Amino acid sequence: MKIAIPKESQSDETRVAASPEVVGKLIGLGFDVIVESGAGATASFVDAAYKEAGASIAKNTGQALKDADVVLKVQRPSTGGDNSEAAMMKKGAILICSLQALSSEKEMKAIAKAGITAIAMELMPRITRAQSMDILSSQSNLAGYKAVLDAGDVYGRSFPMMMTAAGTVAPAKVFIMGVGVAGLQAIATAKRLGAVVTATDVRPATKEQVESLGGKFLVVDPEMEKDAQTAGGYAKEMPPEYFEKQKKVVAEHIAKQDIVITTALIPGRPAPVLVTEEMVKTMKQGSVIIDLAVEAGGNCPLSKFGEIVDVDGVKIVGHANVPGRLPEVASSLFGRNLLNFLTPHVDSDSKTLKLDFEDETVSGTMICHDGKMVHPMLGGKPKKKEKAEEPAKKKTPETDKKGKNK
């Protein structure tokens, strides 16, 4: 079987779907791997490194995709125009990448129509054995780390308290809104740099995690927060009255902060507004907001995708593709996530990929197959598990009233 790794077509995408290390492991599993020339250049992976790992190099995207049985990408393929990547793929090919499926129904239908079996890695179930396959966790972890570094780059003061002969410099106050993977890494990184860190989240279970990293948890409404988490560990969309109360509590706190990092996302929905225009106006001159949810509309209505804006002395950072700002390590981790997903489905005898449709990691991520939408969240009907036949019951001899066989 042939696995293709094309160059990412989106202008702001610096990652690649597999590092030379991962390519070597895929070849070790029995696959032929073809990498488009320059696919790893922005992540510091040169063509020569892929060749040394055993891959062949394609001159362009079309050459890489045309005969591929499996296509590994970071972002979903383009589906329209003369250079449609989906049109370059053969019918029956398996596409594995971050599809952003829940907010891209039109594109998903186009991919289904092309006869491609598409796996949306961002929908990986949050079960223990799937942790090593979870692209959201690996990339969010890097985003949380980079968010603090980006804040330090824009912030005009230092993070730690400094006692000098010229006087004492107070530590920076950092407030993290949303304590998922990105938020926890941001807390840990800000603490390492010496900041005073507080954090908040609708999920009360995160309080202990925040405190274990040395941060202080800001509670909004303990009663409403009791039912704020899905079975899969994601935040639920909260009622309007919760956000009204949150605004009051946060508004008082945010006016005293130097740096605010927002990370709140809800799968398939616009990002909730956490920092209002009124709150921004109360912040000190020189304060910084890092909006990690800007690609989903932003946690602050004043943030702009791909830009740093100055609002009355408060800098609001809305960098696009934050994990991609650490392209080498982000690509390495992303590639390992894909490798860990593929490996259990490789037939050791035939050296081919045979997806187990009953496996949660497949049924939970498969968007389309055989030209049809199959994911229930997109109106599809997944393949039902066939019930095994019940063994025939053994006939027992009838007994008389005294318990003796007749």
Side-chain angles (χ1 to χ4, degrees), residues 9-22:
S9 58
Q10 291 191 19
S11 59
D12 62 353
E13 187 51 77
T14 57
R15 295 169 291 177
V16 63
S19 64
E21 176 206 11
V22 168

Side-chain angles (χ1 to χ4, degrees), residues 41-190:
T42 52
S44 303
F45 300 133
V46 296
D47 290 351
Y50 285 111
K51 278 186 180 179
E52 189 176 342
S56 55
I57 305 299
K59 293 180 181 179
N60 52 51
T61 305
Q63 189 182 66
L65 296 177
K66 65 178 181 178
D67 295 322
D69 301 295
V70 180
V71 176
L72 304 182
K73 284 181 75 354
V74 177
Q75 302 287 355
R76 67 169 179 264
S78 56
T79 56
D82 296 333
N83 296 316
S84 168
E85 292 169 307
M88 295 177 193
M89 296 167 62
K90 72 179 185 181
K91 187 175 182 179
I94 299 171
L95 168 67
I96 305 173
C97 65
S98 173
L99 287 169
Q100 300 302 313
L102 299 184
S103 56
S104 311
E105 190 173 351
K106 181 182 176 182
E107 289 81 359
M108 295 307 102
K109 287 180 178 177
I111 290 172
K113 189 176 180 180
I116 297 166
T117 294
I119 301 292
M121 291 296 289
E122 75 275 11
L123 298 180
M124 186 62 63
R126 290 209 162 174
I127 55 178
T128 302
R129 65 185 177 86
Q131 287 179 354
S132 65
M133 312 171 195
D134 190 349
I135 62 167
L136 293 184
S137 291
S138 71
Q139 303 304 293
S140 294
N141 188 52
L142 295 174
Y145 166 77
K146 185 60 174 170
V148 177
L149 300 189
D150 286 340
D153 187 50
V154 177
Y155 183 55
R157 307 177 194 120
S158 60
F159 272 74
M161 181 176 74
M162 295 183 182
M163 300 182 73
T164 72
T168 300
V169 177
K173 295 178 181 178
V174 178
F175 182 39
I176 313 296
M177 302 185 74
V179 190
V181 175
L184 289 170
Q185 182 57 250
I187 293 167
T189 303

Side-chain angles (χ1 to χ4, degrees), residues 61-355:
T61 305
Q63 189 182 66
L65 296 177
K66 65 178 181 178
D67 295 322
D69 301 295
V70 180
V71 176
L72 304 182
K73 284 181 75 354
V74 177
Q75 302 287 355
R76 67 169 179 264
S78 56
T79 56
D82 296 333
N83 296 316
S84 168
E85 292 169 307
M88 295 177 193
M89 296 167 62
K90 72 179 185 181
K91 187 175 182 179
I94 299 171
L95 168 67
I96 305 173
C97 65
S98 173
L99 287 169
Q100 300 302 313
L102 299 184
S103 56
S104 311
E105 190 173 351
K106 181 182 176 182
E107 289 81 359
M108 295 307 102
K109 287 180 178 177
I111 290 172
K113 189 176 180 180
I116 297 166
T117 294
I119 301 292
M121 291 296 289
E122 75 275 11
L123 298 180
M124 186 62 63
R126 290 209 162 174
I127 55 178
T128 302
R129 65 185 177 86
Q131 287 179 354
S132 65
M133 312 171 195
D134 190 349
I135 62 167
L136 293 184
S137 291
S138 71
Q139 303 304 293
S140 294
N141 188 52
L142 295 174
Y145 166 77
K146 185 60 174 170
V148 177
L149 300 189
D150 286 340
D153 187 50
V154 177
Y155 183 55
R157 307 177 194 120
S158 60
F159 272 74
M161 181 176 74
M162 295 183 182
M163 300 182 73
T164 72
T168 300
V169 177
K173 295 178 181 178
V174 178
F175 182 39
I176 313 296
M177 302 185 74
V179 190
V181 175
L184 289 170
Q185 182 57 250
I187 293 167
T189 303
K191 284 297 294 182
R192 290 190 200 105
L193 291 175
V196 175
V197 182
T198 53
T200 189
D201 195 286
V202 298
R203 297 163 295 178
T206 60
K207 181 176 184 291
E208 187 177 332
Q209 295 171 312
V210 170
E211 292 173 347
S212 71
L213 293 171
K216 184 177 179 181
F217 192 79
L218 183 69
V219 178
V220 175
D221 188 314
E223 282 302 311
M224 279 195 271
E225 289 169 351
K226 284 181 181 178
D227 190 36
Q229 182 171 312
T230 68
Y234 295 101
K236 285 184 180 179
E237 188 169 21
M238 298 297 282
E241 56 267 28
Y242 176 83
F243 290 111
E244 286 302 315
K245 188 164 187 178
Q246 183 187 52
K247 285 178 186 177
K248 293 179 182 179
V249 174
V250 169
E252 294 177 7
H253 187 70
I254 215 168
K256 306 170 187 175
Q257 303 305 302
D258 299 304
I259 295 169
V260 177
I261 298 174
T262 68
T263 71
L265 288 166
I266 300 170
R269 294 177 178 272
V273 174
L274 303 182
V275 182
T276 64
E277 294 184 38
E278 291 75 18
M279 292 178 191
V280 174
K281 291 176 182 177
T282 68
M283 294 180 72
K284 298 178 287 186
Q285 290 274 322
S287 298
V288 176
I289 298 171
I290 306 289
D291 192 342
L292 287 182
V294 69
E295 292 184 21
N299 295 141
C300 177
L302 297 175
S303 61
K304 292 185 179 180
F305 180 74
E307 296 182 29
I308 299 176
V309 295
D310 190 309
V311 180
D312 298 327
V314 178
K315 291 181 180 178
I316 306 173
V317 181
H319 287 313
N321 188 18
V322 176
R325 292 169 62 77
L326 299 167
E328 184 174 349
V329 66
S331 299
S332 295
L333 294 178
F334 193 98
R336 288 177 201 165
N337 290 146
L338 301 191
L339 174 68
N340 292 333
F341 170 74
L342 286 168
T343 301
H345 303 284
V346 176
D347 186 281
S348 57
D349 296 324
S350 64
K351 304 295 183 183
T352 57
L353 183 66
K354 294 183 178 179
L355 295 176

